[in-house]
């Protein structure tokens, strides 16, 4: 009888637990309300993007001193924690911490670092954003004044992207124009104003740039090709303006959504700029004179993200933008995302970091960038979600390249649970280079990379 009593007790408790679980609604966010209406709240989000990648290396690539014509690597493209909230009717705070580009080479000294002393691989977790913001009008988005370390930028929507909601495998990083040069992973110390008035969305910023010498990389020697100046300090001015034809875009944080997956009807025209006096320098007259250049960047674009068939859940997302990128005469910077290599036997005139998967990402000239994606029916895979194929093209016409550089990506998102759980497959095709005459670089074939990403976001 004693044993039967225990059996009945356990059975009753199990039944009660199952009944109580049935009554708990599924939560989609980690949010703590600070008042009864929920207008005052504090919220936490977590993001992890894990990459598994095969790369056909650029010519001459080495990894830890060994030739590496191909690489296979596993890494964390982004690991982030956001903490933010509306504390009063007019007070908003935002913090983000995380790390980026963590693979087996994390902490290895930058190419060209004479000391060659590896840093501690555990120090990459850092503060991305720390912002305080005051709204001039309670319960209205007309004018918000804020400041701190922030992603808020001029130039374009991809200069301040919400990376948890991007459609393509990665953002077009060239739009984060000074990334890790005079900013901290595209974050800057900025005093800003932003708001939405009618169909207009605006943001203006006054930025205090970081010295190039604090980037952690060797400061390039001054030459006939423009680089960021190691002497002098001038403020940076930036702005971004959007006209919304239909729905307004999200405005809670300074970040801009990649795709709404058909939940909004968005059609925008956008324009932005970044300007800084004497930001770069170079020599002329056979090295006898030093010339300072202003950095002047601007863009114009259209963005569409809207449902095609609401009943089926289909949607499109599209972007087309023109970027004028003036960093000073002959500025050119190679960059490789989470580069899987750290050395090269090749030499290109006046540029470094050309190994692995790098390509001329930033330069003086112009860029046309476009992307397009189609969200398939919501029940395409039954309980296993749906898919969203996409394609993107970056066409860069830079002064130091003999012809336009085309970087192309095609891919597929498997949306297991929208952006909260998705698997992405991406194929990239990029040019590689060799020296031409007069310090120019010419294409010397093409290379590719295949990447699988699993993103989890809550």
């Amino acid at each position: 009888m004693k044993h039967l009593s225990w059996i009945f007790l356990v059975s009753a408790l199990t039944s009660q637990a199952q009944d109580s679980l049935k009554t708990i609604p599924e939560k989609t966010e980690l949010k703590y309300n600070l008042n009864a209406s929920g207008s005052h709240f504090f919220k936490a989000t977590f993001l992890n993007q894990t990459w598994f990648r095969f790369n056909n290396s650029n010519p001459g690539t080495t990894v830890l001193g060994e030739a590496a014509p191909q690489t296979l690597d596993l890494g964390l493209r982004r690991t982030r924690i956001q903490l933010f909230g509306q504390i009063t009717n007019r007070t908003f705070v935002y913090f983000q911490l995380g790390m980026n580009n963590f693979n087996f080479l994390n902490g290895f000294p930058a190419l060209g670092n004479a000391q060659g002393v590896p840093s501690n691989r555990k120090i990459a977790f850092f503060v991305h954003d720390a912002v305080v913001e005051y709204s001039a009008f309670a319960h209205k988005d007309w004018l918000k004044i804020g400041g701190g370390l922030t992603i808020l930028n001029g130039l374009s929507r991809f200069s301040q992207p919400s990376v948890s909601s991007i459609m393509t495998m990665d953002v077009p990083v060239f739009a984060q124009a000074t990334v890790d040069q005079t900013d901290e992973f595209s974050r800057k110390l900025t005093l800003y104003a932003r708001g939405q008035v009618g169909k207009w969305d605006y943001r203006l910023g006054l930025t205090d740039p970081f010295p190039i010498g604090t980037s952690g990389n060797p400061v390039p020697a001054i030459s006939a090709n423009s680089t960021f100046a190691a002497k002098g300090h001038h403020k940076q001015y930036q702005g971004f303006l959007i006209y919304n034809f239909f729905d307004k875009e999200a405005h809670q944080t300074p970040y801009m959504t990649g795709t709404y997956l058909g939940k909004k009807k968005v059609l925008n025209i956008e324009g932005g700029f970044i300007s800084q006096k004497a930001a770069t320098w170079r020599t002329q007259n056979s090295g006898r004179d030093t010339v300072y250049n202003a950095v002047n960047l601007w863009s114009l674009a259209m963005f569409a993200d809207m449902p095609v068939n609401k009943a089926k859940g289909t949607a499109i997302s599209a972007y087309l933008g023109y970027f004028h990128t003036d960093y000073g005469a002959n500025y050119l910077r190679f960059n490789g995302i989470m580069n899987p290599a750290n050395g090269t036997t090749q030499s290109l005139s006046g540029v470094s970091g050309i190994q692995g998967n790098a390509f001329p990402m930033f330069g003086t000239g112009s860029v046309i960038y476009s992307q397009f994606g189609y969200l398939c029916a919501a029940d395409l895979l039954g309980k296993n979600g749906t898919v969203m194929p996409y394609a993107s093209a970056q066409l860069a016409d830079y002064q130091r390249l003999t012809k336009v550089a085309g970087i192309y990506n095609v891919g597929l998102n498997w949306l297991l649970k929208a952006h909260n759980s998705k698997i992405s497959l991406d194929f990239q095709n990029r040019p590689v280079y060799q020296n031409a005459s007069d310090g120019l670089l010419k294409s010397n074939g093409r290379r590719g990379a295949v990447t699988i990403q699993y993103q989890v976001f809550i």
Side-chain angles (χ1 to χ4, degrees):
M1 290 295 293
K2 186 175 182 179
H3 294 295
L4 286 174
S5 298
W6 275 108
I7 291 172
F8 284 127
L9 177 60
V10 170
S11 177
L13 291 173
T14 302
S15 177
Q16 289 178 2
Q18 290 174 342
D19 290 341
S20 64
L21 286 173
K22 292 177 182 178
T23 63
I24 298 175
E26 183 177 358
K27 293 184 178 181
T28 58
E29 57 185 1
L30 301 174
K31 181 179 178 183
Y32 180 75
N33 289 336
L34 301 176
N35 62 0
S37 67
S39 61
H40 301 164
F41 66 90
F42 197 73
K43 182 176 176 179
T45 74
F46 300 88
L47 170 73
N48 202 61
Q49 294 175 338
T50 300
W51 281 18
F52 182 62
R53 175 178 57 183
F54 172 80
N55 179 59
N56 274 316
S57 303
N58 294 349
T61 289
T62 62
V63 175
L64 300 177
E66 295 182 340
Q70 294 91 29
T71 58
L72 186 67
D73 73 315
L74 176 68
L76 302 177
R77 175 66 176 102
R78 298 179 183 91
T79 299
R80 304 278 180 82
I81 298 172
Q82 294 182 106
L83 302 167
F84 62 94
Q86 193 72 38
I87 307 305
T88 72
N89 287 344
R90 301 191 180 193
T91 304
F92 178 78
V93 294
Y94 180 87
F95 306 96
Q96 184 171 199
L97 303 94
M99 65 179 182
N100 312 281
N101 302 324
F102 186 100
N103 67 359
F104 72 101
L105 287 172
N106 194 70
F108 203 82
L111 190 70
N113 187 330
Q115 288 75 28
V117 179
S119 63
N120 185 337
R121 67 175 65 93
K122 295 183 288 186
I123 65 172
F125 201 86
F126 64 94
V127 175
H128 284 63
D129 305 79
V131 177
V132 292
E133 185 178 86
Y134 179 80
S135 179
F137 302 92
H139 307 299
K140 299 288 186 180
D141 290 334
W142 294 341
L143 174 61
K144 298 176 180 180
I145 299 172
L149 183 64
T150 177
I151 190 73
L152 185 138
N153 273 287
L155 194 56
S156 80
R157 69 186 303 109
F158 292 116
S159 305
Q160 48 218 317
S162 172
V163 293
S164 64
S165 64
I166 54 179
M167 176 184 68
T168 52
M169 172 76 77
D170 209 345
V171 293
V173 177
F174 80 90
Q176 298 175 27
T178 61
V179 60
D180 281 340
Q181 300 298 291
T182 59
D183 60 40
E184 183 176 80
F185 212 74
S186 203
R187 279 77 178 174
K188 307 173 183 181
L189 292 168
T190 300
L191 176 66
Y192 67 81
R194 68 184 182 107
Q196 288 182 329
V197 181
K199 292 182 177 292
W200 293 98
D201 188 320
Y202 69 91
R203 51 195 72 196
L204 297 168
L206 173 63
T207 292
D208 204 11
F210 294 106
I212 184 66
T214 63
S215 68
N217 293 309
V219 177
I222 187 171
S223 71
N225 301 315
S226 295
T227 56
F228 280 93
K231 292 184 179 180
H233 184 76
H234 299 276
K235 298 298 184 284
Q236 188 180 96
Y237 303 91
Q238 49 188 331
F240 188 54
L241 185 64
I242 303 172
Y243 183 79
N244 300 282
F245 288 96
F246 300 121
D247 293 346
K248 291 182 180 180
E249 291 216 54
H251 202 265
Q252 188 175 76
T253 76
Y255 285 86
M256 303 208 69
T257 299
T259 173
Y260 294 96
L261 299 177
K263 303 303 181 184
K264 280 179 174 284
K265 183 181 181 182
V266 175
L267 178 62
N268 294 343
I269 53 173
E270 314 171 345
F273 71 92
I274 296 175
S275 181
Q276 184 181 339
K277 175 184 175 182
T280 62
W281 64 359
R282 59 185 172 88
T283 61
Q284 64 179 21
N285 296 328
S286 300
R288 292 189 297 272
D289 299 325
T290 298
V291 177
Y292 286 84
N293 314 288
V295 165
N296 287 308
L297 316 169
W298 57 265
S299 78
L300 292 172
M302 292 194 69
F303 173 68
D305 196 273
M306 60 183 67
V308 175
N309 186 318
K310 287 187 175 181
K312 293 184 177 180
T314 57
I316 61 165
S317 183
Y319 177 90
L320 176 63
Y322 172 84
F323 294 75
H324 172 82
T325 57
D326 183 2
Y327 295 88
N330 296 321
Y331 179 88
L332 188 68
R333 179 187 169 201
F334 275 62
N335 189 42
I337 300 301
M338 199 169 72
N339 204 316
N342 71 313
T344 181
T345 60
Q346 189 184 31
S347 176
L348 293 183
S349 175
V351 292
S352 60
I354 61 175
Q355 73 280 358
N357 63 338
F359 61 86
M361 190 174 288
F362 310 90
T364 289
S366 62
V367 180
I368 294 175
Y369 177 77
S370 64
Q371 61 176 227
F372 181 84
Y374 180 79
L375 178 64
C376 297
D379 60 353
L380 181 69
L381 304 177
K383 294 182 179 180
N384 294 313
T386 187
V387 297
M388 187 175 194
Y390 65 83
S392 69
Q394 176 181 330
L395 304 175
D397 186 9
Y398 294 147
Q399 284 181 352
R400 291 191 57 205
L401 304 181
T402 58
K403 66 177 184 178
V404 172
I407 298 92
Y408 307 104
N409 292 72
V410 294
L412 181 73
N413 293 307
W414 178 11
L415 302 166
L416 296 157
K417 188 179 180 182
H419 292 302
N420 300 104
S421 177
K422 69 179 180 181
I423 298 173
S424 303
L425 175 65
D426 182 88
F427 300 86
Q428 183 195 71
N429 184 265
R430 66 185 188 277
V432 295
Y433 288 87
Q434 65 183 22
N435 290 316
S437 59
D438 300 323
L440 300 181
L441 305 180
K442 65 178 181 180
S443 179
N444 184 32
R446 303 186 68 84
R447 297 289 189 273
V450 181
T451 308
I452 298 174
Q453 172 187 270
Y454 185 33
Q455 171 176 301
V456 176
F457 172 69
I458 182 171

